[in-house]
Amino acid sequence: GIGFWPSRSCSRHVGSRCGCVSWLATNRSFPALRSSHTSRGVFSVLIGYILAEMTEDMAKIRTNLQPAEINPWYRANARELPWRAPGTSAWGVLLSEVMSHQTQVARVAPIWEEWMRRWPTPEAFAAAGADEVLRAWGSLGYPRRALRLLECARVITELHDGHVPRSVEELLALPGIGDYTARAVACFAYGENVPVVDTNVRRVVARAERGRPVAHPRNAELQEVAALLPADDLEWDGPTFSVGLMELGALVCTATNPDCGACPVSRCAWVAAGKPEPNPEEQRKKKTQRFAGTDRQVRGKIMRVLRGASAPVPQRDIDVVWPDAAQRSRALFSLLEDGLAVQDDAGYFHLPR
């Protein structure tokens, strides 16, 4: 989410596709429901509690984050990233956002530039083969993103005459495009003044507006950020404000060791409160799996063999990449299942075509 200029689990998600209503971060205890409740009554009770939480969250917004401070700071301090160049197409914006997901911008930039030279439009990319795309993706990580981008480009070509759609709703209908990416493309490619919330924005808002040091996905976060956006008729540009919040979180209001002395925000609730430490609930963190020794590392090694091969490879070429036969077999099977590898009738392996 820090990629462009100007994921969260949905297992318990309810409401609109915009993610405005979810139970992901709800800590309320819902009341016990008796058998006498009708289905409509149950739904009303649950929605009532969700709306109550959203109202409570919205009441904490102080509007300390002002476009008059954020926008000039961004213009003076924004990183020079290739997709921030004037004239970058909506396709270029979409590519940058998908590539930057869970991937460092420094790794993304050269691959993005190569892709834009090679496939400057969705139509050009849609004509590429899956093997060609996976080789071009290289070691960027999470290669299923590359195949989903290929599906996305083909849908754009077939249903949208080769033009990346403009609205959040149409973008959400594209393969592999989630809520964050849809909003980012609408905002940064087309100038739509819609809230865009990534990890950096979430953290900046939590500190500056609510006085809390860390942030997790919450029910009201889209409404919170929407309330901070400058009105369309004011002098301060909404999309610049949105990307400014992201850049502020990436460069200054970082997760660890924030540089408060360099922050343009003159009124920060967290600083005013004495920079309190996270409470026990805020300290809960999503478990992150180490990379070394994991199936993901083994998958990457097998993919490297397949990308580098000009012809299908025998099992023995794969066997040498990892000593643990059971883990190696599991990783290979998962690649086959994900459509990232194919086994031919002779038992050899290659990239999908």
Side-chain angles (χ1 to χ4, degrees):
I2 60 174
F4 188 58
W5 75 274
S7 180
R8 62 194 179 195
S9 170
C10 57
S11 60
R12 293 186 290 161
H13 184 273
V14 296
S16 74
R17 296 182 69 182
C18 296
C20 297
V21 181
S22 77
W23 299 349
L24 284 168
T26 298
N27 300 317
R28 290 180 182 276
S29 296
F30 293 119
L33 300 175
R34 298 186 300 274
S35 59
S36 60
H37 281 100
T38 64
S39 60
R40 177 179 294 180
V42 170
F43 183 76
S44 298
V45 170
L46 296 180
I47 292 300
Y49 270 75
I50 292 169
L51 291 176
E53 182 185 75
M54 291 167 60
T55 302
E56 177 182 309
D57 289 340
M58 289 298 294
K60 297 175 183 176
I61 287 292
R62 297 175 172 84
T63 61
N64 291 337
L65 293 166
Q66 294 292 328
E69 294 178 337
I70 301 297
N71 290 29
W73 175 87
Y74 171 75
R75 294 191 179 100
N77 295 277
R79 290 167 293 175
E80 292 185 6
L81 300 174
W83 44 85
R84 290 177 174 172
T88 298
S89 66
W91 171 243
V93 174
L94 189 151
L95 277 184
S96 74
E97 291 295 346
V98 174
M99 288 180 168
S100 298
H101 182 64
Q102 294 186 317
T103 308
Q104 294 175 335
V105 169
R107 294 179 57 204
V108 171
I111 295 177
W112 181 87
E113 290 177 310
E114 177 190 343
W115 278 45
M116 289 302 293
R117 285 192 295 268
R118 193 169 181 177
W119 300 301
T121 65
E123 185 175 10
F125 187 60
D131 56 342
E132 185 182 7
V133 168
L134 287 169
R135 287 191 173 94
W137 188 262
S139 59
L140 202 55
Y142 302 101
R144 277 180 292 182
R145 288 182 292 173
L147 296 185
R148 294 295 275 167
L149 271 171
L150 187 56
E151 293 178 53
C152 180
R154 289 171 176 170
V155 170
I156 291 172
T157 300
E158 294 170 8
L159 301 184
H160 298 279
D161 197 28
H163 301 291
V164 175
R166 183 186 190 102
S167 73
V168 172
E169 291 73 20
E170 287 180 303
L171 287 160
L172 280 169
L174 298 174
I177 302 302
D179 187 67
Y180 165 76
T181 303
R183 290 176 170 277
V185 172
C187 182
F188 304 143
Y190 292 114
E192 297 292 330
N193 196 19
V194 296
V196 186
V197 181
D198 71 346
T199 301
N200 289 311
V201 172
R202 192 175 290 127
R203 182 172 57 254
V204 169
V205 171
R207 288 176 178 167
E209 299 293 341
R210 298 197 311 278
R212 302 311 309 166
V214 296
H216 298 284
R218 298 162 59 256
N219 294 324
E221 60 185 19
L222 282 176
Q223 290 89 339
E224 282 184 351
V225 176
L228 298 171
L229 296 177
D232 291 331
D233 59 349
L234 297 180
E235 60 178 313
W236 302 111
D237 176 59
T240 300
F241 177 72
S242 293
V243 73
L245 292 180
M246 290 185 183
E247 198 78 339
L248 186 62
L251 300 181
V252 176
C253 193
T254 52
T256 59
N257 301 318
D259 187 3
C260 295
C263 183
V265 178
S266 59
R267 295 183 302 168
C268 174
W270 184 54
V271 172
K275 300 184 182 179
E277 293 295 321
N279 60 37
E281 174 61 21
E282 290 169 334
Q283 286 176 332
R284 65 179 175 86
K285 294 181 180 179
K286 184 171 69 173
K287 293 181 179 179
T288 55
Q289 186 186 44
R290 72 189 192 286
F291 178 72
T294 63
D295 286 4
R296 186 172 158 231
Q297 183 185 19
V298 183
R299 283 166 56 102
K301 288 180 176 293
I302 296 173
M303 285 297 293
R304 190 175 298 115
V305 171
L306 300 181
R307 287 198 308 270
S310 58
V313 301
Q315 180 77 50
R316 63 177 179 273
D317 287 2
I318 293 174
D319 290 344
V320 299
V321 305
W322 197 254
D324 186 329
Q327 187 177 23
R328 189 177 63 240
S329 177
R330 185 169 64 244
L332 177 58
F333 179 79
S334 71
L335 290 173
L336 294 168
E337 195 173 46
D338 289 344
L340 293 167
V342 176
Q343 185 175 25
D344 64 21
D345 293 338
Y348 284 58
F349 299 91
H350 58 83
L351 294 174
R353 295 168 180 151

